[in-house]
Structure formats: structure tokens, C-alpha cells
Amino acid sequence: MKIDHNIFSLPKPIFWLLVISNFIYASWLDSSFGSFWAWHITDLADNHPVRLVDILAIGQFVLFAVSVDMSIRHFVVRFNAKTHDHQFPAILVQAITITCYGIIGLFGFIVMYDHSAGQILAASGAIGFGIVYVLRETIADIVGCIQIQSDGLIDIGDQIQVRGDGGEYYEIMQIDLRMVTIKTVLQYTVRVPNRRFVNMDYINLSKQVTEMGARRILELDLDSGNDADRVIELLNQAAEYTIKNDPNFFPWYHAFLAKINNGAYNFFLIYECNPAIPPIRSNGIQNIAIARFFKLGGINMNSTVEVVKSSEIIDTIKNRLKDVYRLGVLKALSLEQVIRLTDAAQIVNCRANKMLIEKGHNADTMYILIEGELEVIIPNDQDEQIVVAKIWPGECVGEMSLLTGEPRSANVRARVNSTLLEITKADIAPIFETYPDLIDEISTVIEQRKAVNQRLMNKTVEPDEVQSSIKALAKKILSFFFNKG
């Protein structure tokens, strides 16, 4: 929502009729009273009773004042219509209007009544000085309001960041003659006098280049025993994951090692997000993503932090399944069942740009990504490979082939060097034999996830359809594992 720059102005025909009426009125005064000017046909200083000619003389000044005011407004309206970057605000026009009427009124008083400009100006100056002194803060606020609007510093709804130690964020709620009303990230409303606001050191985030939001810094201290390159890689992956999954985070980030201090590494992650999100919330979202990637990447967040290489400690890699199984189709399993599955799972390493899964191939395995990043790609009509989704650490791929034996529905490629756990039909079959109810639970997880994705694409999904799909999938799984219909 923008500041209102609507300014009253007479329609063009009426405006020009008003301008011409000044010449007609002056000509009529000359033909009727022998002068074009009102101060030549009457003198209000002789204390005579009010006459028609006095009213006519005053009327000329009123007509002239209105004409000057409307001329200024006509010019400003045309200027604002042609110029969108720098608009004359309504409050500035109001101030000019008051000034015009005051000057023309003072001139009329001098020439028709006082006849002594020096004396009236001196008196007016003294009175004006006293008024200005008494109302100095109010006047300063009004001048500040004019400056804010005429310079286009802020608009209603803008997000600003006040520079300084705190770097506080505010939303502009209202601008009036005296105050700018702002809302804090904690939803408190604060009113700041205009004279103070114009002197604040702030950044208007809403008036930056397109899609540029609030840039914030997340600081992490880690033990210097870490592989710094590995930590930066995980920070970059966490930032990219947040961008892909939360529209409030913009596609700009930078992770780097800021300094080494007393045996500790100090890392910075600078990211960009919607300024309307409080910093404590945006940092929390980033921290959750970082914790996930650090944990899956083998970083031990104890007092002494070290990076555990997957090639060195295979048992550690397998045990990470316990940290991530709830993120995918295996969430229906208990921890005991997951530990049993972990013992049977195999570790698979897929190098960057290598194909992990090929569309159309028959298989009975699924993969859980532990480290790295995968891309789901399908060919378009021109046989070009298009990336349609990304798989992040903790997520699984190929589960339908594992559960139903269906051919692969898409290609999956490693974007970076990736480590995965491979689970086969033979691995999970004993669990299904012991706990057959898991088939219904896993079918429910898969079909409900599909329904959520369809709703996100604005597709209508009826509850009866979901229940029917769950039963159909459970039937397929039973048939594939136990040859049951």
C-alpha cells in the first residue's frame, strides 16, 4: 500500500474558466469603477460602513487566491501523472496552499487597510516568531512528514532495518502529520515523531532491488578439528534446502570461515529472507536445517567436534538411519524395527553426475540419502533432461519399486558425491512377515503424502479417494511380497 498522493484539482474546463474569470472580473471592475485593481476602488482604513464595492474588492483577492491555488494543484497533478519516481505528496500541496492564501491575504490587508507594509510585516514577524517557537516541534514533525513523502523515503507496508548494534526490523504501518507508526517483530506498535524518524539510520528493505530481502548473519563456533571445507559444504546445502522448502527464504546465501580463534573455527552463514519474518524465527529455521545436515553429515556436536568420514566408520553411517527414518516412508516402523533393518542395509556411494536410478528399470530396492544431494530428472518432449525435484539427506527414493516391484518412474542422478543406504525387498520382507500390519501403515503414509502434494498443487482430493488408494496400494504390496491378492 502506497502513501496517498491524490490531490484535489478542478476539472480542466472548470480550471480554465476560473483563470479566465480573473480577467473578466478585473475588466468589469475597470468598466464599473475605473480601475482593474481592488485597492484602487476602496479603502477600508477610513472606518466607513461596509459597501458593495468593499465586498467586490475583497472578492477579487479571494478569486485570485483560489486561482493561484488551483493553478498549483493543476500543475502538480499533471506532474504526478507523468512522473512515477518522484511524486508531490498531498501534504506538501496543502502547505503550499496555506502559504499562498496567507501571502495573498497579507498583501490584501496591507494595500486595502494598513498601507504600511513595514509596520505590519514587523508585527507579523514578531507574532510568527513566537508561534514558530511555541510550535517548533509540531512544525518540525510536519516538515519531516513533507520530507518523508516528497523524497519517497518510505511507504505504508515497507519493511525497514534500523542500522546499529541491534539491527532491529520494523514494518511501516501509518504516516501522519506528526508520527510514523511502526510495528516491531514482536508485533508491538510504536509511534515515532517524524523529526526523529528522518534522522534515523535505516535501510528500507522494500525499496531495494527486486526479490532482495533482509540479509541476516548466523554465526557458528566449531572445534578446529573439523574439516572446514566439509562444514562450509554442509552449510551451503542446509541453506539451499531451506530456500527450496520455504518461500520466505530468497535464493541468496554465502557460507565462509570468518576467523580462527583459540583453537576454534568461527563460521558465518549469511542468508536472505522475507523481512517480515522475525530474526529469531528465521535463524531458528536455518538452525534446524543446519542441525539436520550436520547430524546426517556425521558431525558430532559435543564439546569437541569432529567430522566422521563415511569411508572410515561404516557402522556410524548405518546408525544414522535411526536419525532420519521418520522423514520418509519408514516412519511407520518402530525404532527396534529400524535397528533390525539397519543391520541388513548396505552402503552405496554415488559420485557426482552419476545415475543412481534409471527410468523403466525393474528393481526391488530403495535408497535413503545420508550425505549429498540427488536430482530427480525426466525427459521432456524434446528429450531434454529436466530436473523436477531434489532429494535431500534424510529423504528416500525408489520406495515404490521396493514395495510393489514397479519399474522405476524417473531418473535419479547424484548432483554431488553422495552416500546412501540401500534397502532391498529381502531386507524388509522379514519385518513384514513379523509385523504384517506395517503394510497398511506404510500404505497410509505414502498415499497421505501424495494427497498433501496434490493439495499443494490446488488439486481436489476427496477422503474416500485417499482411503481407496491406501487399500489398493496395500493389496499391491501384499501381492508382491506374499503373492496374496
Side-chain angles (χ1 to χ4, degrees):
M1 179 179 179
K2 299 289 186 181
I3 295 173
D4 185 13
H5 293 299
N6 291 329
I7 298 167
F8 172 75
S9 178
L10 292 173
K12 194 172 182 179
I14 299 177
F15 165 71
W16 285 112
L17 182 61
L18 177 65
V19 173
I20 294 172
S21 66
N22 282 271
F23 297 97
I24 296 174
Y25 196 89
S27 299
W28 179 75
L29 288 179
D30 181 58
S31 62
S32 300
F33 301 99
S35 176
F36 291 103
W37 312 115
W39 58 87
H40 289 162
I41 63 176
T42 186
D43 187 351
L44 302 178
D46 57 7
N47 295 322
H48 62 263
V50 177
R51 298 170 299 178
L52 177 60
V53 68
D54 299 330
I55 297 174
L56 294 174
I58 294 173
Q60 186 182 33
F61 280 99
V62 173
L63 180 63
F64 179 70
V66 172
S67 299
V68 172
D69 179 31
M70 289 299 113
S71 297
I72 294 172
R73 289 172 177 268
H74 181 73
F75 167 78
V76 170
V77 168
R78 292 190 63 186
F79 179 85
N80 284 354
K82 294 180 179 179
T83 307
H84 299 287
D85 295 334
H86 300 286
Q87 299 271 292
F88 276 95
I91 186 174
L92 179 58
V93 176
Q94 293 170 4
I96 294 174
T97 294
I98 294 172
T99 303
C100 287
Y101 281 113
I103 292 174
I104 294 173
L106 180 61
F107 177 75
F109 180 81
I110 292 172
V111 297
M112 292 200 332
Y113 183 82
D114 186 72
H115 306 300
S116 176
Q119 185 176 0
I120 188 65
L121 290 175
S124 299
I127 295 172
F129 180 80
I131 294 174
V132 169
Y133 181 79
V134 172
L135 302 177
R136 62 190 183 278
E137 292 185 354
T138 301
I139 294 172
D141 287 332
I142 294 174
V143 172
C145 182
I146 293 173
Q147 181 180 348
I148 289 170
Q149 297 190 35
S150 60
D151 292 345
L153 301 179
I154 55 174
D155 287 316
I156 295 172
D158 281 359
Q159 299 285 340
I160 65 170
Q161 178 185 4
V162 177
R163 289 153 61 90
D165 295 336
E168 297 292 336
Y169 293 85
Y170 303 99
E171 179 182 358
I172 305 298
M173 303 301 297
Q174 184 179 351
I175 305 169
D176 55 36
L177 292 176
R178 293 291 312 278
M179 301 280 185
V180 174
T181 304
I182 58 179
K183 182 183 287 186
T184 70
V185 293
L186 297 178
Q187 302 302 303
Y188 291 114
T189 299
V190 181
R191 288 171 59 83
V192 181
N194 293 330
R195 65 183 183 278
R196 286 178 50 196
F197 186 87
V198 295
N199 292 318
M200 289 171 58
D201 185 12
Y202 66 90
I203 301 171
N204 189 329
L205 300 172
S206 300
K207 292 189 180 298
Q208 304 299 311
V209 296
T210 305
E211 293 300 321
M212 184 174 181
R215 294 190 172 182
R216 296 170 180 171
I217 298 177
L218 196 60
E219 187 173 353
L220 301 96
D221 290 321
L222 299 178
D223 188 273
S224 59
N226 282 290
D227 181 343
D229 290 334
R230 177 64 175 149
V231 172
I232 292 173
E233 179 185 352
L234 291 173
L235 288 174
N236 284 328
Q237 285 189 344
E240 187 175 348
Y241 172 81
T242 305
I243 292 167
K244 295 294 184 183
N245 290 277
D246 194 327
N248 287 309
F249 288 80
F250 300 160
W252 183 93
Y253 60 89
H254 182 48
F256 59 95
L257 175 61
K259 61 183 177 180
I260 303 173
N261 186 21
N262 293 326
Y265 285 158
N266 181 243
F267 294 92
F268 278 6
L269 172 61
I270 306 176
Y271 64 93
E272 189 174 318
C273 67
N274 186 339
I277 300 179
I280 190 171
R281 181 182 165 200
S282 66
N283 284 345
I285 294 171
Q286 287 286 14
N287 277 324
I288 289 174
I290 291 171
R292 170 180 175 174
F293 279 78
F294 275 11
K295 198 164 191 178
L296 292 173
I299 294 182
N300 182 358
M301 299 300 292
N302 293 327
S303 57
T304 299
V305 184
E306 59 177 318
V307 177
V308 182
K309 298 291 186 180
S310 60
S311 59
E312 297 173 350
I313 307 180
I314 294 177
D315 289 341
T316 302
I317 294 291
K318 286 190 173 185
N319 286 333
R320 292 181 204 167
L321 179 59
K322 293 183 290 185
D323 297 324
V324 301
Y325 77 94
R326 293 184 182 88
L327 300 174
V329 66
L330 299 181
K331 65 187 296 184
L333 276 65
S334 67
L335 181 59
E336 178 185 353
Q337 294 160 353
V338 170
I339 293 174
R340 180 176 173 182
L341 192 61
T342 298
D343 293 336
Q346 298 296 315
I347 295 174
V348 173
N349 293 305
C350 189
R351 298 187 64 80
N353 299 317
K354 296 296 183 181
M355 203 68 73
L356 177 70
I357 291 175
E358 294 190 29
K359 182 179 179 181
H361 283 197
N362 292 315
D364 60 359
T365 61
M366 67 172 280
Y367 300 93
I368 297 178
L369 180 62
I370 299 299
E371 298 180 27
E373 183 181 338
L374 306 177
E375 295 176 328
V376 180
I377 53 180
I378 59 174
N380 61 11
D381 295 337
Q382 290 75 37
D383 204 29
E384 298 172 333
Q385 299 298 319
I386 307 298
V387 177
V388 296
K390 290 191 176 183
I391 306 298
W392 304 95
E395 297 177 349
C396 58
V397 63
E399 63 269 25
M400 292 305 293
S401 294
L402 168 73
L403 298 172
T404 67
E406 294 179 352
R408 303 297 195 187
S409 59
N411 296 321
V412 179
R413 179 178 63 197
R415 196 176 81 86
V416 298
N417 292 341
S418 301
T419 301
L420 309 98
L421 287 181
E422 181 185 44
I423 298 174
T424 67
K425 177 185 178 182
D427 297 335
I428 202 170
I431 297 177
F432 282 163
E433 290 176 356
T434 308
Y435 307 97
D437 291 343
L438 281 176
I439 292 177
D440 289 333
E441 295 181 31
I442 288 178
S443 300
T444 301
V445 170
I446 292 175
E447 292 302 328
Q448 287 182 343
R449 186 176 63 184
K450 285 183 180 178
V452 169
N453 292 336
Q454 288 181 322
R455 291 189 183 102
L456 291 174
M457 294 185 291
N458 297 319
K459 294 182 179 179
T460 303
V461 181
E462 299 295 335
D464 292 343
E465 293 180 47
V466 178
Q467 291 301 318
S468 178
S469 299
I470 291 172
K471 291 179 180 178
L473 178 59
K475 187 176 180 180
K476 281 185 179 181
I477 297 174
L478 279 169
S479 176
F480 181 58
F481 276 84
F482 307 111
N483 294 319
K484 294 181 180 180

